[in-house]
Amino acid sequence: MTSKKTNEAFVWIWLPGETQPVVTGKLEADNGLIHFNYGKSYLNRIHDQNPAIPIYEPELPLKSGFLPLPEGLDMPGCIRDSAPDAWGRRVIINKKLGHTGKDTDTGELSELTYLLESGSDRIGALDFQLSPTEYVPRSANNATLKELVESAERVEKGVPLTPELDQALFHGSSIGGARPKALIENQGTKYIAKFSSGTDLYSVVKAEYIAMRLAAFCGLNVAKVKLVTAAGKDVLLIERFDRIRKGERWARKSMVSALTLFGLNDMTARYASYEDFAEIIRHRFTEPKKTLKELYGRLVFNILCGNTDDHARNHAAFWDGKELTLTPAYDICPQGRAGNMASQAMKISGENSLSRLNLCLDVAHRFLLSGGEAKSIVEYSENVIRERWNEVCDEAQLGAVDKTLLWKRQFLNPFSFEE
């Protein structure tokens, strides 16, 4: 078992199109900072048939020696993107500390410990090992959804897992977010499975399914979803878009979060804005005009469906070593709200983040859209939600109480249309 005092780890990467990883370099922890340097063997791949790529540039360019950290960061953002977030950390705390995990500060374990203790099938194309020469994946046998639901419930209660359930849930400990989730593979497709939580006041799982389906009907590029039940509980299955099946193996697609694109960390994420994101897209993304329209549509839809959890980790891009490409949308989940007023997690216009469509119209030019084009996107998205609402709620078998709760509170809240 990894020690709390672990101060180094080796980074392995799946190069584009490859189904086996190669070691890229080493992370070292020193006085609260984590530095990275590429290994010679990786740098020497520059002329290979499948050459080395930067893990992410400009943050970690292909240079020898320890690379300086961007200002304000205590570890490279592209590495932090591969670390577990709140839920995965709770699983690891449960695994290492048992029943004390419920009341344990997740900061008790080091960042390198979380990287090395989390499952290997993490989002993106990186993994972390104690060895620079031998790759040993940390994975489990494909568990049933019933086993995973039971595992998630025990972790939420702070109850130690049995060895079997421990392995079942551990596989998904590396994925981000705060809600109970796991990784599964079914009929040749990989999914992220999201479970209901004991603290849910309404069917959050069904609400996310409805939002994702409506977003797709609005013409947005979103991850494919389906809704199933296990152990009497709703489970949302999101098809993974960072994996490509090649025979019996899988290739992995490198990804970075928008938080990394901004050069921010979790403490400074409040400075992230859609306007800055649009500027990055104009200069660094493939198909910038098309991508800007897509991002604008997502912003509009987030406001219309009440998803105020659109923080910079919930936007991401594929990275091929040279260019960025916006990933399909994910984690579009309407959030509970006490009143009508709400704010988005990222700023929309200047310092203003209020969940109002007029702000979207104000910044349309930043997305290379005319006022007329922007207004058409808003009107089209609103009309699709109205026209498809009953159909998609029926798909999800949403109860009348939850349906009433979501309509005009999360979906199409009057506050969105003010001014």
Side-chain angles (χ1 to χ4, degrees), residues 101-154:
K102 183 179 181 182
D103 302 312
T104 299
D105 181 359
T106 55
E108 183 172 328
L109 301 181
S110 72
E111 286 296 326
L112 289 186
T113 297
Y114 284 119
L115 291 175
L116 289 165
E117 287 287 345
S118 48
S120 291
D121 198 13
R122 67 190 73 244
I123 301 301
L126 300 181
D127 195 23
F128 307 91
Q129 300 279 310
L130 285 169
S131 169
T133 57
E134 182 183 15
Y135 179 78
V136 182
R138 297 177 298 282
S139 58
N141 293 329
N142 202 31
T144 66
L145 281 175
K146 181 176 183 295
E147 290 174 314
L148 293 169
V149 168
E150 293 172 355
S151 302
E153 289 175 343
R154 291 172 73 95

Side-chain angles (χ1 to χ4, degrees), residues 13 15 22-24 38-45 52-53 62:
I13 190 171
L15 290 168
V22 296
V23 67
T24 64
Y38 287 106
K40 289 183 179 179
S41 64
Y42 188 71
L43 292 174
N44 288 338
R45 294 180 61 95
I53 65 170
L62 286 175

